[in-house]
Amino acid sequence: MRKKQAMQLQQPEGKRWTALKYLVKKGEMKQYDANTMDVFGMPSLVLIERAALAAVEELERDGLNRLPRILVAAGTGNNGADGLVMARLLYLKGHTVQIVLAGSRSKATPENRTELQIAQNYGVAAMDADTWLETAHGENDYDIVIDALFGVGLSRRIEGVYGQLIDRLNCLRAKKVAVDIPSGIDADDGQVLAVAFQADLTVTFSYEKLGMRLFPGQSYCGRIVCRSVGIDDHSFLSDTERGHKPLAAALTDEDLRLIPGRRMRTNKGSYGKVLVIAGSVNMAGAAVFSARAAYLCGCGLVRVLTPEENRAIIQSTLPEAVLTTYNAKKPEPEILTTAMRWADVIVCGPGLGTSDAAHRIVRTVLKNAAVPLVLDADALNIISEETDILRRPHTDLIVTPHLGEMARLQDLPVSYIQDHIVESAEEFARTYNLICVLKDARTVTAVPFGQTYVNLSGNNGMATGGSGDVLTGVLAALIAQGAAPELAAPLGVYMHGRAGDLAAETYGRYSLTASTLLEALPGIFLRKEGME
């Protein structure tokens, strides 16, 4: 079979991702911080002062009381220095401020020692953590608690006096604010390092950290605000030997501009043909969700290949679809290969089952596909029996496993996949040279040896049957209309999540279903058209 050439999205000259939100790891942030100081000459104390001022401004925007009682817990690093400057600025605004110092002062950074001395020169009260812990405190003794104990570089478990201090701070009935990241959250993967500060507001600097957008880290951050303090994209030094951009990013509504456009003089053939190989005997729902999503996302023609028993359901619920059926007990190979030659992109797996016939279909598709291929659900369960089969295709391949399917594909516990979701997606993408869309509360899209995307759209109402089937249709429609798979995958995931957000506004998260998700998809395109 002759391989069809995948169409490439024709973008306006110079137009790429329009509003990528970078999510940095601890090592990346450390390097960008060093580049800002070493290459551009920005003094560390200036960065600290700017960070503290930005955090105080955010507190004021958030409704800082006229004369609140404020507790600042400061460690010995530069995150602690940020907190010490905040204590001084708030004290000079007339607030009652108490600094609690954690850690040995002999190990404090020069900047930390300098800022503590300045704060004390102004008369800000300070005591060490051991003394404060031994002193009786009521739950209502403070109005605001500021956590500046550890910055993004933390990688060890929190124990001893630090753990006791965080536990006590969490028990105070006060508004809780984290500086840069809640202490105890790993900035790379969002894991809790034994204990973590439970913030209502996190003011982070320059870039959001990857771990604060993954779970469980996200649950400890409260509302996240990112403020610029002088470290920006220049500090990537991406045009130099020592520089690189962050490996992880998230999309925003501005990136909806990259949905393939529609020209004036066109016909149904102009917007691509999607083949949906889905459904099993009397199980047609997945095929309907996937095919209908493809149509709602602008695809010109959708063909559904499904067992003969599903004919009446497909024709009554989705009359727009081109329907091809087969004998579920003994599918004819020529029916499948003929349908594949017709398509510009193929979806295989939703509701397919794991029968012998389903096994033959999946193997035939992987062997003969000459156009971009989206594999989901039962196709992945079948492949998990022999994952090396993924090395055979000579076309663009996207897999969309949920945690359970990924656990089977990698032969690892679900808990491990969940705790290492970015790492798992990236490793699978590199190993099999495919795009991996690993679905969870934070879906991760890994492009082999390229950018990794963490999706920030969507909500927990989307944890419902059929939601993933809708996603496959969205991805396929974008590719059919000319979007390159490495663009279509993260963009489609974002669109799917935004549709979930729109559906939740109308139906609420409890009542969100795959059908209401489909109803919300047109709203995404209305937003895109409003940007033109």
Side-chain angles (χ1 to χ4, degrees):
M1 182 183 296
R2 180 178 63 85
K3 179 178 179 179
K4 295 185 181 181
Q5 296 298 314
M7 296 179 288
Q8 297 296 310
L9 177 63
Q10 298 299 311
Q11 301 179 43
E13 186 175 351
K15 188 175 181 180
R16 300 182 181 86
W17 291 116
T18 53
L20 275 184
K21 179 200 292 280
Y22 287 117
L23 304 174
V24 303
K25 292 186 174 182
K26 63 185 75 169
E28 292 171 335
M29 196 65 228
K30 181 179 179 181
Q31 185 62 58
Y32 303 149
D33 190 73
N35 292 346
T36 303
M37 292 184 289
D38 299 343
V39 176
F40 298 105
M42 180 74 75
S44 177
L45 284 172
V46 171
L47 295 174
I48 289 169
E49 291 282 339
R50 292 187 65 174
L53 180 59
V56 169
E57 289 175 348
E58 208 55 50
L59 273 178
E60 292 176 328
R61 285 195 184 95
D62 205 52
L64 187 65
N65 295 331
R66 184 173 178 273
L67 288 174
R69 300 157 299 170
I70 300 172
L71 175 67
V72 179
T76 56
N78 282 1
N79 182 258
D82 294 341
L84 294 171
V85 177
M86 289 182 68
R88 183 230 308 162
L89 295 175
L90 291 165
Y91 177 79
L92 293 176
K93 288 177 178 287
H95 305 301
T96 301
V97 180
Q98 172 69 64
I99 297 173
V100 173
L101 300 168
S104 172
R105 300 310 303 162
S106 64
K107 296 180 180 179
T109 63
E111 294 87 348
N112 189 290
R113 289 196 293 270
T114 296
E115 295 297 356
L116 176 60
Q117 186 61 61
I118 294 173
Q120 289 179 321
N121 289 345
Y122 276 99
V124 185
M127 69 171 66
D128 65 74
D130 287 323
T131 303
W132 186 82
L133 286 169
E134 292 170 0
T135 307
H137 298 286
E139 292 180 345
N140 300 310
D141 282 357
Y142 302 97
D143 301 303
I144 297 175
V145 174
I146 297 173
D147 161 36
L149 291 170
F150 296 102
V152 299
L154 182 68
S155 58
R156 67 182 187 277
R157 288 173 58 86
I158 295 179
E159 298 172 338
V161 67
Y162 287 108
Q164 297 172 36
L165 180 57
I166 291 174
D167 281 337
R168 183 73 67 84
L169 296 178
N170 284 339
C171 291
L172 296 176
R173 294 189 177 182
K175 181 179 182 65
K176 299 182 178 68
V177 181
V179 178
D180 211 10
I181 191 170
S183 293
I185 297 299
D186 191 300
D188 283 355
D189 59 19
Q191 294 304 301
V192 176
L193 299 170
V195 62
F197 183 77
Q198 183 67 65
D200 300 304
L201 168 68
T202 297
V203 183
T204 196
F205 307 120
S206 299
Y207 300 97
E208 292 184 12
K209 311 326 182 265
L210 178 59
M212 66 172 52
R213 285 302 189 178
L214 299 174
F215 287 97
Q218 171 91 62
S219 302
Y220 285 81
C221 291
R223 186 169 67 89
I224 297 172
V225 176
C226 187
R227 293 292 301 266
S228 174
V229 297
I231 302 173
D232 58 19
D233 294 7
H234 292 89
S235 298
F236 298 164
L237 302 181
S238 53
D239 295 329
T240 70
E241 195 171 303
R242 66 181 279 186
H244 68 85
K245 293 180 179 179
L247 297 178
L251 272 58
T252 71
D253 268 7
E254 286 297 310
D255 294 303
L256 296 177
R257 296 176 186 273
L258 292 183
I259 295 173
R262 298 179 80 85
R263 301 176 300 280
M264 291 288 291
R265 190 177 184 181
T266 53
N267 55 61
K268 61 179 178 285
S270 305
Y271 300 109
K273 296 176 287 187
V274 170
L275 172 63
V276 177
I277 305 171
S280 51
V281 175
N282 298 320
M283 296 287 288
V288 172
F289 290 137
S290 188
R292 184 161 176 74
Y295 266 131
L296 288 170
C297 289
C299 180
L301 284 168
V302 180
R303 181 187 294 271
V304 177
L305 183 63
T306 194
E308 174 63 30
E309 287 83 352
N310 294 334
R311 175 181 293 276
I313 298 174
I314 300 295
Q315 289 180 327
S316 62
T317 57
L318 193 64
E320 301 92 340
V322 179
L323 180 62
T324 300
T325 62
Y326 60 86
N327 185 329
K329 294 182 179 179
K330 192 176 181 181
E332 303 86 339
E334 59 272 15
I335 292 178
L336 176 57
T337 54
T338 298
M340 290 171 64
R341 282 194 294 269
W342 169 89
D344 294 315
V345 58
I346 299 169
V347 170
C348 181
L352 192 64
T354 55
S355 65
D356 290 343
H359 275 73
R360 290 195 295 274
I361 288 172
V362 171
R363 290 180 180 278
T364 300
V365 169
L366 283 168
K367 180 179 179 181
N368 296 286
V371 296
L373 178 59
V374 182
L375 296 174
D376 184 40
D378 287 321
L380 299 177
N381 292 327
I382 290 169
I383 289 167
S384 68
E385 300 171 9
E386 185 189 350
T387 54
D388 278 350
I389 198 172
L390 289 171
R391 302 181 191 275
R392 299 177 190 173
H394 299 286
T395 188
D396 293 307
L397 186 58
I398 300 176
V399 296
T400 61
H402 57 54
L403 294 177
E405 291 159 351
M406 192 63 165
R408 289 187 283 275
L409 286 166
Q410 292 189 308
D411 193 23
L412 290 168
V414 170
S415 58
Y416 179 87
I417 302 294
Q418 192 168 39
D419 289 346
H420 302 83
I421 189 166
V422 173
E423 178 186 332
S424 295
E426 290 176 339
E427 180 183 352
F428 199 77
R430 289 192 299 266
T431 299
Y432 297 102
N433 194 32
L434 50 75
I435 297 170
C436 181
V437 177
L438 181 49
K439 297 179 293 192
D440 193 29
R442 285 284 181 256
T443 293
V444 174
T445 301
V447 177
F449 307 101
Q451 189 83 59
T452 296
Y453 303 88
V454 177
N455 187 54
L456 303 184
S457 66
N459 59 80
N460 54 18
M462 298 174 70
T464 184
S467 179
D469 304 324
V470 174
L471 175 61
T472 61
V474 175
L475 301 182
L478 291 175
I479 297 171
Q481 292 170 82
E486 60 269 21
L487 183 153
L491 180 58
V493 170
Y494 182 77
M495 291 166 58
H496 179 252
R498 288 296 285 118
D501 291 333
L502 293 178
E505 290 176 9
T506 302
Y507 296 96
R509 289 175 294 166
Y510 284 90
S511 301
L512 199 157
T513 65
S515 295
T516 59
L517 189 57
L518 287 170
E519 292 176 18
L521 278 173
I524 302 302
F525 296 91
L526 291 175
R527 286 173 179 258
K528 180 256 195 304
E529 291 173 357
M531 298 176 182
E532 296 175 349

